[in-house]
Amino acid sequence: QVQLVESGGGLVQAGGSLRLSCAASGSRFSGNKMGWYRQAPGKQRELVSTISSGGMTNYADSVKGRFTISRDNAKNTVYLQMDNLKSEDTAVYYCNCETPGRFIYWGRGTQVTVSS
């Protein structure tokens, strides 16, 4: 069982920055693939970014060049640095974990609101 707790969301003006954090517990963090997803009102949950156990990263086209995912295995934490935020980035952001055994876990989410 993996527990994920997100933090760092909030209200920011367009063009601003936020850094989301996701603290994980309950499993060997370094072996897990971690990711961030988001869900805007009335829309389906969508992939934002992932980072593999080896540090390989993947980004949605809509956030490339603006968001950066990273992980600190010593702190069991994954981060999402979000720069040059746009109103369309407004959503609930969810932390995601995929274990080597392909079990999937989700955090409860953190709200990000970008005002234009």
Side-chain angles (χ1 to χ4, degrees):
Q1 191 79 2
V2 176
Q3 293 80 43
L4 302 171
V5 179
E6 303 99 334
S7 61
L11 174 64
V12 63
Q13 287 188 332
S17 298
L18 283 174
R19 188 176 82 152
L20 305 183
S21 300
C22 172
S25 61
S27 79
R28 182 171 162 267
F29 178 82
S30 61
N32 297 334
K33 180 180 179 180
M34 302 298 297
W36 289 96
Y37 288 70
R38 67 186 180 186
Q39 187 167 18
K43 295 188 177 182
Q44 290 188 331
R45 191 172 298 189
E46 64 177 5
L47 170 72
V48 176
S49 182
T50 62
I51 184 167
S52 72
S53 59
M56 290 183 63
T57 59
N58 177 53
Y59 297 93
D61 287 343
S62 60
V63 307
K64 280 181 181 176
R66 300 188 298 121
F67 291 11
T68 304
I69 192 170
S70 61
R71 64 190 297 160
D72 186 336
N73 290 337
K75 295 183 178 179
N76 288 0
T77 301
V78 62
Y79 303 96
L80 185 69
Q81 177 67 40
M82 305 186 294
D83 298 318
N84 190 22
L85 282 159
K86 305 176 180 181
S87 57
E88 52 263 43
D89 295 318
T90 295
V92 177
Y93 284 70
Y94 296 92
C95 183
N96 167 276
C97 169
E98 180 179 338
T99 69
R102 299 296 178 95
F103 290 98
I104 303 294
Y105 299 92
W106 294 93
R108 292 190 174 184
T110 185
Q111 177 70 47
V112 171
T113 302
V114 184
S115 63
S116 56

